Amino acid sequence: MNTAELVDLAQQLRVDSVRAADAAGSGHPTSSMSAADLMAVLMAHHFRYDFDRPAHPGNDRFVLSKGHASPLLYASYKAVGAIDDAELLTFRKLGSRLEGHPTPRRLPWVETATGSLGQGLPVGVGIALAGKRLERTGYRVWVLCGDSELAEGSVWEAAEHAAHEHLDDLTVIVDVNRLGQRGPTRHGHDLDAYARRFQAFGWHTVEVDGHDVDAIDRAYGEAISTSGQPTAILARTLKGKGVEAVQDREGLHGKPLPEADEAIAELGGPRDLRLRVHEPPAARMLHAVRAGHLELPRWDEGSPEEGVATRDAYGQALAALGTARGDVVALDGEVSDSTRAEFFAKEHPERFFECYIAEQQMVAAAVGLAARGFVPYASTFAAFLTRAYDFVRMASVSGAGINLVGSHAGTAIGQDGPSQMGLEDLAMMRAVHGSTVLYPCDAHQTARLVAAMANLEGIRYLRTSRGKSPVIYGPDEEFPVGGSKVLRSSDRDRLTVVTAGVTVHEALAAADTLLDQGIAVRVVDLYSVKPVDRLTLRRAAEETGCLLTVEDHHEEGGLGDAVLDAFLDGRPVPRLVRLAVRTMPGSAAPDEQLHAMGIDAESIAAAGRLLVEEAIVR
């Protein structure tokens, strides 16, 4: 396209953005209008993509980080013929694929869900990592950001990581339109302020008039030719560009244009230009799911003194899984010697990604790698995943399939104290839509669950422990997701103890103590915290009458609440007592911690005895 045609295409994108928002009665047309020239030049001259084959391995990848500017994205889809005008005008309506913020659940050309600002570039880094280190098909990754979201720390985690990895196939286009939601941004139109920041992280920068299509064209060409560095194109634009009543004016964010027909006329009226995007280069996928036999590690069953930490089992199982499957990758937040992801790193260094202490970037990179067809396992201390929770939430919105592993969970880690203890993680991960939450108690159970996670959908979370635990299951035992294991059972049971992880072993010891006192106790290892084994729990409630839950986690939202979920369909709720972490821990040895929190064998036995005695009185 020549200059005049590019200008005309940009005007069409503006008009269609206005029309879509007007039809919906909501949306962000002014945020779309500022970036229309940037999008027009990218699509017409530099983006290589087969819209009939969104999975083509040579396709460039585009991430709209400023997801509220979705009218611009959908207008572009119309211009390339991916959607028609009738669908464009279904924007934000019930049942439409064109949601207020784009998601890959609805549209095959969308790489990741956006809308929570500051996430597009971090995910783009993950996609670029896949292209640079694993796929090597030569695709480029383009990310369109707004200037407001550059206030997010996650953007700068991504900036540093991209430069460190020399991701020269990654270009971020920053739409510096000066205005945020409630008024001016921190730096307004000061492009140099943004340039200095990107340069400090090792980026090549280009400052450009974001409404000069020829200058934009040259900037994109410069980005493509830059070697060894990612490029940030900083484009000075005007929000609401092209319509005098809204251009560069405050108070109009997130609103349809007040006089849409007049605005459309001022922009030159509707158009129906059709754009043929450059075809991607021929390419083939370089990774595949190998059909090799999975040989999971095996351990001898032994005494408590000869146990195996579940974090060790995780690392060994993951390394074995990586040998069997070429699509498995691992990421870690600079604690791989503690999480034991280092076992994978040593055996498969080309598929291990060190994200350093940047948990948001770690989860975002996992989402980007998953978008390219890989099966990521991302690990850090359970406590530190709280920093990345919004990325986990948005990964669920994307429908991303990622595995998260939180080690050093609970008070059982001992002397490090509460800052290092994951005590909220089960609640946090249970709340994620469609998630799977697993909490193994021994090495073989851990290994089996690590392998099972690779074939699940959505967000999968595995909680591992620091200290050694007895190996109580055999190497061939099966642990279906959604199941449980009944470890003690008789027809004389008067109480059921439901637990998982480290407190399984405490519960077994307590059951032995109570049996010596004439009280038979059923013990259920509820390793699948979500989905929960409703049938086993209901049967236990019916047969024993009392349930006692024990967890090394805060009372709210954890194992106890998961057990209650089994009785939310109108069934009678059994007599239930919950033992959990109710006070703020300090530093102490692991056994002292469990006792202080009232979740060790002695405490379980005392609570169980009291519960049975009260039931007799009733």
Side-chain angles (χ1 to χ4, degrees), residues 393-404:
R393 180 184 69 87
M394 286 300 295
S396 174
V397 174
S398 284
I402 63 173
N403 301 289
L404 302 173

Side-chain angles (χ1 to χ4, degrees), residues 46 65 74 191 215 345 358 413 443:
H46 300 278
S65 189
Y74 303 147
L191 300 186
I413 70 167

Side-chain angles (χ1 to χ4, degrees), residues 382 385-387 389 392 424-432 553 557:
L385 282 169
T386 57
R387 290 182 174 181
Y389 189 61
V392 177
E424 310 84 3
D425 55 318
L426 296 180
M428 182 172 76
M429 295 302 179
R430 285 183 64 239
V432 175
H553 182 276

Side-chain angles (χ1 to χ4, degrees), residues 294-299 316-318 320-321 444 447-451 475:
L294 174 60
E295 288 284 353
L296 288 173
R298 303 166 78 93
W299 296 269
Q316 293 180 49
L318 184 61
L321 186 62
H444 287 129
R448 288 284 182 173
L449 293 176
V450 168

Side-chain angles (χ1 to χ4, degrees), residues 149-235:
E149 64 185 294
L150 298 193
E152 286 283 3
S154 57
V155 170
W156 303 109
E157 286 187 17
E160 184 162 26
H161 199 83
H164 176 75
E165 295 282 352
H166 305 289
L167 299 181
D168 49 13
D169 289 334
L170 171 66
T171 300
V172 62
I173 308 158
V174 185
D175 177 22
V176 186
N177 65 25
R178 188 186 73 84
L179 293 174
Q181 177 168 320
R182 60 99 196 99
T185 58
R186 177 177 290 156
H187 300 294
H189 274 141
D190 186 355
L191 300 186
D192 287 344
Y194 295 116
R196 290 193 300 272
R197 285 156 175 76
F198 275 104
Q199 289 164 4
F201 283 104
W203 285 56
H204 176 66
T205 62
V206 184
E207 299 177 34
V208 67
D209 178 347
H211 300 308
D212 181 337
V213 294
D214 291 326
I216 295 167
D217 198 20
R218 291 191 297 271
Y220 290 162
E222 185 174 336
I224 291 170
S225 64
T226 297
S227 178
Q229 292 176 285
T231 297
I233 295 173
L234 306 165

Side-chain angles (χ1 to χ4, degrees), residues 16-35:
D16 284 344
S17 296
V18 171
R19 294 175 62 235
D22 185 60
S26 64
H28 297 75
T30 58
S31 299
S32 301
M33 295 159 74
S34 61

Side-chain angles (χ1 to χ4, degrees), residues 126-368:
I127 297 172
L129 282 169
K132 186 82 169 180
R133 288 183 46 182
L134 301 175
E135 296 180 282
R136 299 190 295 278
T137 59
Y139 62 74
R140 295 196 62 83
V141 181
W142 304 87
V143 180
L144 178 58
C145 287
D147 50 344
S148 288
E149 64 185 294
L150 298 193
E152 286 283 3
S154 57
V155 170
W156 303 109
E157 286 187 17
E160 184 162 26
H161 199 83
H164 176 75
E165 295 282 352
H166 305 289
L167 299 181
D168 49 13
D169 289 334
L170 171 66
T171 300
V172 62
I173 308 158
V174 185
D175 177 22
V176 186
N177 65 25
R178 188 186 73 84
L179 293 174
Q181 177 168 320
R182 60 99 196 99
T185 58
R186 177 177 290 156
H187 300 294
H189 274 141
D190 186 355
L191 300 186
D192 287 344
Y194 295 116
R196 290 193 300 272
R197 285 156 175 76
F198 275 104
Q199 289 164 4
F201 283 104
W203 285 56
H204 176 66
T205 62
V206 184
E207 299 177 34
V208 67
D209 178 347
H211 300 308
D212 181 337
V213 294
D214 291 326
I216 295 167
D217 198 20
R218 291 191 297 271
Y220 290 162
E222 185 174 336
I224 291 170
S225 64
T226 297
S227 178
Q229 292 176 285
T231 297
I233 295 173
L234 306 165
R236 185 187 190 280
T237 64
L238 298 176
K239 201 164 185 175
K241 170 67 176 176
V243 176
E244 181 62 28
V246 299
Q247 181 172 296
D248 200 31
R249 295 179 185 270
E250 297 181 23
L252 295 167
H253 181 88
K255 299 176 183 178
L257 269 58
E259 301 292 341
D261 290 340
E262 292 180 12
I264 291 168
E266 188 176 347
L267 292 166
R271 299 160 176 78
D272 193 23
L273 299 175
R274 291 305 169 114
L275 177 65
R276 185 173 181 82
V277 176
H278 291 296
E279 292 185 359
R284 63 183 180 86
M285 300 299 288
L286 296 181
H287 73 279
V289 179
R290 289 201 289 267
H293 178 65
L294 174 60
E295 288 284 353
L296 288 173
R298 303 166 78 93
W299 296 269
D300 293 331
E301 295 181 56
S303 67
E305 291 75 25
E306 300 168 337
V308 178
T310 56
R311 60 171 174 152
D312 290 333
Y314 161 69
Q316 293 180 49
L318 184 61
L321 186 62
T323 299
R325 293 184 53 154
D327 60 344
V328 170
V329 298
L331 309 90
D332 197 86
E334 214 262 285
V335 287
S336 60
D337 56 338
S338 289
T339 63
R340 301 306 198 237
E342 66 177 1
F343 298 158
F344 184 98
K346 289 175 181 176
E347 292 197 26
H348 313 289
E350 74 286 355
R351 284 184 276 140
F352 177 76
F353 297 87
E354 178 57 73
C355 297
Y356 301 93
I357 303 176
E359 290 85 4
Q360 295 178 105
Q361 180 55 54
M362 181 185 71
V363 175
V367 173

